[in-house]
Amino acid sequence: MEIMKRIQSYHLDILKEIGNIGAGNAATAFSALLAKPIEMTVPSVRIVSFQEITELVGGAEEVVAATFLRIEGEVPGSMFLIVPEDEAVQLIYDLTGESSKIGYSEMGLSSLQELGNILAGSYLSALSDFTNLNIQPSVPSLTIDMAGAILSFGLLEISRVGDFAIVIDTEIREVTNEYGYASTGQFFLLPDPDSFTPLFHALGVDLHA
């Protein structure tokens, strides 16, 4: 909990603003890709313990769609974009017009993976621009499974030496949707243990003061 004592609400506000810049850039890119207006916002950013992550996505047995990628460069780590399955179904329909009631099509899965790719790339690019750190995303992978299985795989190595994740809530809305439907997902930004210090130092926080 020492990290939490060093990080103030305004530091998280900085991450939120960076997230909104990234979300705006992602919305522009995704709108061009789909030829329809899309809005994306980041309503909140939090820091949570690894133990809380599964609870945030509805529990270990909750089925979710998760895009996973590694972060490379000066602050290596991992990143998940996690969307509940029912919202993934709606999101695929809103973005491609396809229903997944009879199973996920290749196009539907590709759209989710590309969404994760665009969002992650846009957010990390905004973070890199703000901090002047070299941050690059790897090629993402997409999995639909129970949250416990997905997170156990992704956190296995990190959890042995790390404690915290940065949660970046994300809201995605099709502007022309007459019902105003918004899909919500969550980014879990998991800096490797040695990455927390340079990342927050670039944001003006000395974790070892």
Side-chain angles (χ1 to χ4, degrees):
M1 298 299 293
E2 285 300 316
I3 289 178
M4 294 299 295
K5 294 177 182 178
R6 305 285 183 191
I7 299 171
Q8 304 299 317
S9 60
Y10 69 88
H11 298 127
L12 298 180
D13 287 342
I14 293 172
L15 286 174
K16 177 182 172 182
E17 182 59 30
I18 294 170
N20 275 309
I21 292 171
N25 293 338
T28 299
F30 214 59
S31 296
L33 182 66
L34 297 172
K36 62 176 68 173
I38 301 292
E39 289 182 348
M40 299 184 190
T41 57
V42 173
S44 67
V45 173
R46 294 162 286 161
I47 294 182
V48 302
S49 68
F50 283 168
Q51 289 78 12
E52 294 176 87
I53 293 179
T54 303
E55 298 173 13
L56 287 176
V57 296
E61 297 185 358
E62 180 76 9
V63 177
V64 297
T67 302
F68 172 79
L69 56 88
R70 281 289 297 170
I71 303 166
E72 301 166 349
E74 293 182 78
V75 285
S78 300
M79 179 176 273
F80 286 96
L81 170 62
I82 295 182
V83 181
E85 186 182 32
D86 58 343
E87 300 224 4
V89 170
Q90 182 66 49
L91 188 57
I92 288 173
Y93 179 77
D94 284 349
L95 298 180
T96 70
E98 287 192 354
S99 171
S100 60
K101 291 182 179 179
I102 57 174
Y104 294 96
S105 70
E106 183 176 346
M107 179 181 291
L109 293 175
S110 294
S111 71
L112 282 181
Q113 183 168 318
E114 184 60 17
L115 173 61
N117 189 36
I118 290 173
L119 273 172
S122 296
Y123 180 77
L124 293 177
S125 177
L127 185 60
S128 178
D129 289 344
F130 188 90
T131 61
N132 291 318
L133 294 170
N134 177 23
I135 307 172
Q136 300 292 333
S138 70
V139 176
S141 61
L142 175 70
T143 303
I144 298 177
D145 201 343
M146 289 189 295
I150 292 172
L151 292 171
S152 293
F153 172 78
L155 300 179
L156 182 61
E157 293 299 324
I158 305 171
S159 62
R160 293 175 181 170
V161 288
D163 296 304
F164 296 99
I166 301 169
V167 184
I168 306 161
D169 293 318
T170 304
E171 185 174 276
I172 306 162
R173 183 185 300 275
E174 183 183 345
V175 178
T176 56
N177 188 323
E178 61 181 302
Y179 300 105
Y181 176 82
S183 175
T184 57
Q186 291 175 318
F187 263 121
F188 294 94
L189 177 59
L190 309 165
D192 288 353
D194 291 340
S195 297
F196 252 101
T197 295
L199 175 59
F200 278 91
H201 178 75
L203 296 174
V205 186
D206 185 354
L207 298 181
H208 302 290

